[in-house]
Amino acid sequence: MRVSAAIHRAFEISKIDDRLYAAFIEHMGRAIYSGIYEPGHPEADGHGFRKDVAQMVRDLKIPAIRYPGGNFVSAYNWEDGIGPKEDRPVRLDLAWRSKESNQVGINEFATWAGDVGIDMMLAVNLGSRGISDARNFVEYVNHPSGTYWSDLRRSHGVEKPYNVKMWCLGNEMDGPWQIGQKDATEYGQLANQTAKALRQLTPDAELIVCGSSNDEMPTYPEWERGVLEECYENVDYISLHKYFGNSSRDTLNFFGKVEETGRYIQSIIGVIDFMKAKKRAKNDVYICFDEWNVWYHKREQDSKNWKSWDWPEAPELLEEDYNFEDALFIACLLNEFIRRSDQVKIACIAQLVNVIAPIRADKGGKAWRQSIYWPYQLASLYGRGTALRVSVDGPTYDCSVADDVQYLDVAATHDGDIVTLFLVNRHLTEAADLRLSLTGFENARVVEHQVMEGHDLRATNGPDNEAIAPRKGSGLAIEDVTLGGSLAPLSYHVVRLSV
Ligand code: AHR
């Protein structure tokens, strides 16, 4: 198939917020315990954190990480995780029917985050608790000294405050599965009052209010309207969550879910704009897509398991094995975030280690990178700077979730003297014969081309096999002002041009 495309130096979408490549990690399953933290493992450092896992995390250049939940946060007492480890209580985690040992709490997590170079984005419990506990938590984390909570932190060996700026006001508060589920007005009022209190403690805080748990919730998008009605002026972001599956093994329809996500984002932008006009508000509210990933391979089995088990500690849960098809899908989804970067400022892959994660760590064994690690890494490394508009003229397809889906999915960024193109040929059988014109970029030349292609869609990586990974690409060249070449069916390309 022939595809024509064009970019122009002056046709910018937006400066990309680096936090478009943020992550999320929750106290659930083996994400924390025997994921990032496993004292006694041969790779454990002096704090009990796994060095092999930490290095894989560092290589992703993640700017921010959301913690400690997720559903877990809605019944979490943050104070259980501070002070001498031997005095910390073991609690029942109602979200995942597990036992929480509290051996990792805010100070341990901050040590890990500092070591891997990631800023913390913390969630407060607005399910079983409220303003007072949230306020105490922020005081413990961010106040310098001279008060009960700040001096308690100092007595725990942390002299300087962490100055955490990003705070999530609860998690998925519309969900019937949530401890402390609320209706939109009730939650919106609580979020509003909590936001005001948190901003007194941290005036430059960036506050994220919960949107719907996903776009299939019966209350979506009325929930967003109701919540923002109560708190628009006091928050900075509204959260979106979406998980994707392909149980029917319909690859093109699976890929079409990226367009569905675009509609989801567009609808919430509509709600935000409506509320800004209604309130005559001066402030802007942006989108924080703080949970996204593929989640379906083991979903049914997992939900049977955890509903019947007897409160295990750090059980295997949501340990999805990601295949090549998932990697192509994630590449397209990240392209969509780049194309929407004028409104989507923060996005968090959910999650980071073991639980629906790009990195897996076997207990007592090896750490390894799943197929989806690579598109996430390539976007995080090179999808910075300014997003450019790309016009694409090529064959399209219809599927049950969307019509007119381009077979070739493209995003482009411009950063200093580098333009990066992210290209996914979603066609099942045909190569894309690409001609992409570059206007305003003199003397462009290809300096790097990485490709993922040629794998069975169901192929996966494992502890002894990381075959699904990018390799050096070839066959794309610039003639005059046009990039041309052939992109194999079902392939992902990251092409960096010096301009
Ligand atoms: O990421 C797993 C779970 O999915 C999170 O705890 C929750 O917020 C969402 O429903």
Side-chain angles (χ1 to χ4, degrees):
M1 64 180 175
R2 293 177 76 85
V3 182
S4 304
I7 59 170
H8 188 301
R9 186 183 201 116
F11 295 171
E12 299 180 346
I13 297 172
S14 170
K15 168 98 186 72
I16 297 169
D17 191 317
D18 288 348
R19 295 170 302 176
L20 202 62
Y21 310 109
F24 165 49
I25 195 162
E26 178 169 2
H27 279 247
M28 70 170 288
R30 299 193 312 108
I32 302 287
Y33 304 109
S34 78
I36 62 170
Y37 178 80
E38 193 179 344
H41 188 282
E43 287 282 343
D45 67 11
H47 300 287
F49 290 110
R50 281 182 61 161
K51 290 182 279 181
D52 51 351
V53 175
Q55 190 52 46
M56 288 180 186
V57 171
R58 257 181 236 114
D59 292 344
L60 290 166
K61 294 266 182 303
I62 299 169
I65 188 154
R66 177 169 176 256
Y67 170 89
N71 296 341
F72 170 79
V73 82
S74 295
Y76 178 52
N77 298 340
W78 67 271
E79 307 90 322
D80 292 344
I82 56 175
K85 284 189 171 180
E86 59 279 13
D87 295 343
R88 297 185 190 174
V90 174
R91 300 267 189 206
L92 296 181
D93 162 22
L94 304 184
W96 303 107
R97 264 186 89 80
S98 315
K99 270 197 208 91
E100 170 57 50
S101 68
N102 285 302
Q103 292 305 290
V104 171
I106 180 60
N107 293 319
E108 290 77 25
F109 187 72
T111 300
W112 178 82
D115 180 47
V116 291
I118 309 183
D119 288 343
M120 292 189 289
M121 170 176 168
L122 298 177
V124 299
N125 172 355
L126 293 188
S128 66
R129 308 183 98 189
I131 304 173
S132 185
D133 304 298
R135 166 226 150 140
N136 294 345
F137 187 27
V138 178
E139 190 174 320
Y140 182 90
V141 169
N142 278 356
H143 195 70
S145 64
T147 66
Y148 175 78
W149 291 108
S150 57
D151 286 342
L152 186 62
R153 183 199 68 239
R154 291 171 64 231
S155 79
H156 294 152
V158 182
E159 184 58 36
K160 290 213 174 103
Y162 296 115
N163 288 321
V164 171
K165 298 280 184 291
M166 291 166 275
W167 291 90
C168 303
L169 304 167
N171 175 69
E172 296 189 348
M173 298 309 306
D174 59 334
W177 57 87
Q178 212 65 234
I179 304 297
Q181 181 197 6
K182 294 172 177 49
D183 67 32
T185 305
E186 188 188 5
Y187 167 66
Q189 288 173 351
L190 176 60
N192 191 42
Q193 297 307 325
T194 308
K196 287 195 291 182
L198 298 199
R199 229 185 264 289
Q200 289 205 32
L201 292 159
T202 304
D204 56 350
E206 295 184 67
L207 302 176
I208 301 137
V209 72
C210 297
S212 299
S213 297
N214 57 67
D215 55 348
E216 285 166 27
M217 297 299 287
T219 47
Y220 161 83
E222 178 56 26
W223 168 271
E224 280 79 355
R225 192 208 56 75
V227 167
L228 289 177
E229 183 85 54
E230 302 302 328
C231 66
Y232 184 95
E233 290 96 330
N234 288 316
V235 300
D236 303 289
Y237 303 89
I238 186 159
S239 72
L240 272 65
H241 291 180
K242 192 167 171 70
Y243 291 98
F244 304 86
N246 183 21
S247 309
S248 58
R249 294 204 162 197
D250 180 343
T251 300
L252 288 179
N253 194 55
F254 182 45
F255 292 158
K257 291 180 182 180
V258 170
E259 331 295 301
E260 190 185 49
T261 308
R263 289 202 301 272
Y264 179 19
I265 293 168
Q266 196 58 47
S267 305
I268 300 307
I269 292 169
V271 178
I272 292 169
D273 285 350
F274 167 77
M275 201 49 69
K276 181 171 180 176
K278 183 174 177 196
K279 301 234 167 209
R280 277 73 174 152
K282 289 208 182 89
N283 64 308
D284 289 310
V285 170
Y286 291 103
I287 287 174
C288 173
F289 212 123
D290 56 25
E291 288 188 31
W292 62 263
N293 209 341
V294 172
W295 174 10
Y296 77 102
H297 297 283
K298 295 188 180 161
R299 198 166 185 148
E300 214 179 302
Q301 191 53 48
D302 273 336
S303 69
K304 276 189 204 140
N305 287 351
W306 74 264
K307 280 185 186 134
S308 62
W309 66 33
D310 190 21
W311 305 98
E313 213 175 305
E316 262 185 42
L317 190 56
L318 277 53
E319 299 202 5
E320 297 272 285
D321 295 319
Y322 289 118
N323 59 33
F324 180 52
E325 183 184 68
D326 299 326
L328 294 174
F329 173 82
I330 295 300
C332 297
L333 188 66
L334 287 160
N335 280 356
E336 184 68 10
F337 290 155
I338 292 171
R339 291 187 291 257
R340 301 269 178 183
S341 56
D342 53 339
Q343 297 293 336
V344 181
K345 296 295 173 189
I346 308 175
C348 306
I349 188 171
Q351 298 189 16
L352 188 59
V353 180
N354 284 337
V355 172
I356 37 176
I359 299 169
R360 291 278 288 276
D362 290 346
K363 196 171 180 180
K366 286 187 186 166
W368 45 282
R369 287 159 291 212
Q370 301 226 57
S371 63
I372 63 167
Y373 180 95
W374 302 108
Y376 177 45
Q377 187 200 45
L378 290 168
S380 173
L381 294 183
Y382 304 130
R384 310 265 177 147
T386 301
L388 296 177
R389 288 193 191 290
V390 190
S391 74
V392 181
D393 181 13
T396 60
Y397 67 91
D398 295 346
C399 57
S400 65
V401 294
D403 286 340
D404 288 327
V405 182
Q406 288 283 346
Y407 278 106
L408 188 69
D409 187 74
V410 193
T413 58
H414 179 201
D415 196 10
D417 52 7
I418 294 283
V419 163
T420 304
L421 300 165
F422 301 88
L423 306 131
V424 184
N425 180 4
R426 310 188 244 206
H427 204 291
L428 303 181
T429 53
E430 284 184 35
D433 180 9
L434 174 69
R435 296 196 55 76
L436 186 146
S437 79
L438 309 148
T439 305
F441 298 108
E442 280 81 43
N443 305 320
R445 67 190 168 85
V446 177
V447 287
E448 190 180 346
H449 176 188
Q450 299 209 44
V451 63
M452 292 177 75
E453 64 184 6
H455 302 284
D456 186 284
L457 284 178
R458 309 285 151 219
T460 55
N461 286 345
D464 299 310
N465 159 32
E466 288 192 16
I468 305 179
R471 58 176 178 72
K472 197 170 173 321
S474 61
L476 287 176
I478 294 185
E479 217 174 284
D480 195 12
V481 289
T482 304
L483 175 76
S486 177
L487 311 173
L490 298 171
S491 63
Y492 170 51
H493 305 255
V494 176
V495 185
R496 305 187 76 220
L497 312 174
S498 103
V499 292

